Amino acid sequence: MDRILSREASAPERYAAMDRLKVGVVGISRGAGTSFLTCCLARYLANTGRHDPAVVELGTGCLFDSIGMDKHFAGREWFRFYEALEKYRSVRGMRNMDEGINWILKSPEEEGISLSFEQKLRLVNHATGDVVLCDLSGEAEPDDGLLRSMDQTIAVIDPIPSKMLKGYRTLCKLKQMEIEQNDMIFVINKMNRGVNRRQMQDFLRIRKSVVIPLIDPWNIYTAEYNCRIPYLLGEVKNALQAPLGEISAALLLPRCR
C-alpha cells in the first residue's frame, strides 16, 4: 500500500540508562486497546525528553503494519529480533530506533515464528530502553509467568459489558496479582456517555483506575494512513495527555537524567 509517512521533528538518539522498568500492558479481553495504549504511552514518555522507551510485542498485535514501520525504516536496516531468537543468535544491545523509541516488533516476514516463554524473557530482558513496554495484546489469557516477570502491569479494560464479561477470569487474576504485588494500574479505555458507570464499577470492583475517553475512530484511520502513532494527532493528544500523565505518575519510572 502506497501510504504517506508523516513525521514529527526528530529528536537526537540517546542511549538508555542502566536502570530500567519492565511494564506489561495487557487487556482483560481482546480488542481492549492494548496496542493503542502501548504505543501512545511510549510516544508520551519519549516526548518528555527524560526517557528512552522500548516497545516489545509479545502478543498478537500488528504494530509493524499499523504504524508503517516499512516506511519509517526505508533505507535503514530493520533488525529482526524474533528471527534472531529462533536461530539462537544474540539480541543483546540490538535496537530499531525511530523518533526516540526502540521498536521490537514482529515484522510480516516473522509472522510464523512463535517464541517460547524463555525466548520472550530474553527479548524483554535484553531490550535496550529505560522503560520497556511489553504489549501482550491478543492473548486469551496472559501467561502468569510472563506477567509476574514484569516490574509493573497496566490492565486495559473496554467497558462494554460483553467484553468485561468475557474477560472476567483475566480480571480476577489481575486483581489477585494486585493484592500480592500492589503494582497494578487499571485503565478504563474507550470511556463514553453510553457507559453506565455504576454498573461498570459494581462489576469491576477496582479501587482506582485511569480513564481514557473513546477516541473518534477517524483519528485511528488517519494515523494509519499517515504511518503515525495516534497520539501525534492534535485531537488525540489533547484527549490523552492528562490520562497518560496519570499513568506515567503511577509508574515506578527510573530516575530521570
Side-chain angles (χ1 to χ4, degrees), residues 212-253:
I212 291 179
L214 178 66
I215 300 300
D216 194 319
W218 77 265
N219 285 297
I220 309 300
Y221 283 75
T222 299
E224 286 213 12
Y225 272 100
N226 288 279
C227 304
R228 305 186 84 186
I229 297 170
Y231 184 72
L232 295 176
L233 301 182
E235 185 176 316
V236 180
K237 189 172 187 176
N238 290 338
L240 295 190
Q241 204 152 20
L244 291 180
E246 283 186 63
I247 295 171
S248 176
L251 289 173
L252 304 172
L253 294 170

Side-chain angles (χ1 to χ4, degrees), residues 202-215:
D202 284 349
F203 178 82
L204 295 175
R205 295 188 181 277
I206 53 181
R207 291 175 296 172
K208 185 180 178 182
S209 62
V210 177
V211 175
I212 291 179
L214 178 66
I215 300 300

Side-chain angles (χ1 to χ4, degrees), residues 151-209:
D151 300 310
Q152 280 186 279
T153 303
I154 299 173
V156 189
I157 301 167
D158 182 337
I160 197 167
S162 56
K163 293 286 184 69
M164 291 194 294
L165 289 165
K166 189 74 172 176
Y168 183 69
R169 282 182 55 179
T170 300
L171 174 65
C172 292
K173 180 189 295 187
L174 293 170
K175 286 166 72 175
Q176 183 59 40
M177 282 182 58
E178 181 188 28
I179 293 169
E180 295 170 3
Q181 301 178 0
N182 195 31
D183 58 1
M184 191 74 56
I185 302 169
F186 287 102
V187 175
I188 311 296
N189 192 28
K190 307 182 186 182
M191 180 60 81
N192 63 85
R193 63 187 180 188
V195 175
N196 185 312
R197 290 177 179 250
R198 181 185 60 79
Q199 289 185 27
M200 179 191 74
Q201 291 295 354
D202 284 349
F203 178 82
L204 295 175
R205 295 188 181 277
I206 53 181
R207 291 175 296 172
K208 185 180 178 182
S209 62

Side-chain angles (χ1 to χ4, degrees), residues 75-94:
R76 293 190 288 156
E77 182 181 359
W78 172 269
F79 183 79
R80 297 180 184 176
F81 283 86
Y82 304 85
E83 182 181 281
L85 286 169
E86 185 185 44
K87 295 179 178 178
Y88 303 100
R89 289 170 19 217
S90 174
V91 297
R92 187 185 297 275
M94 303 306 296

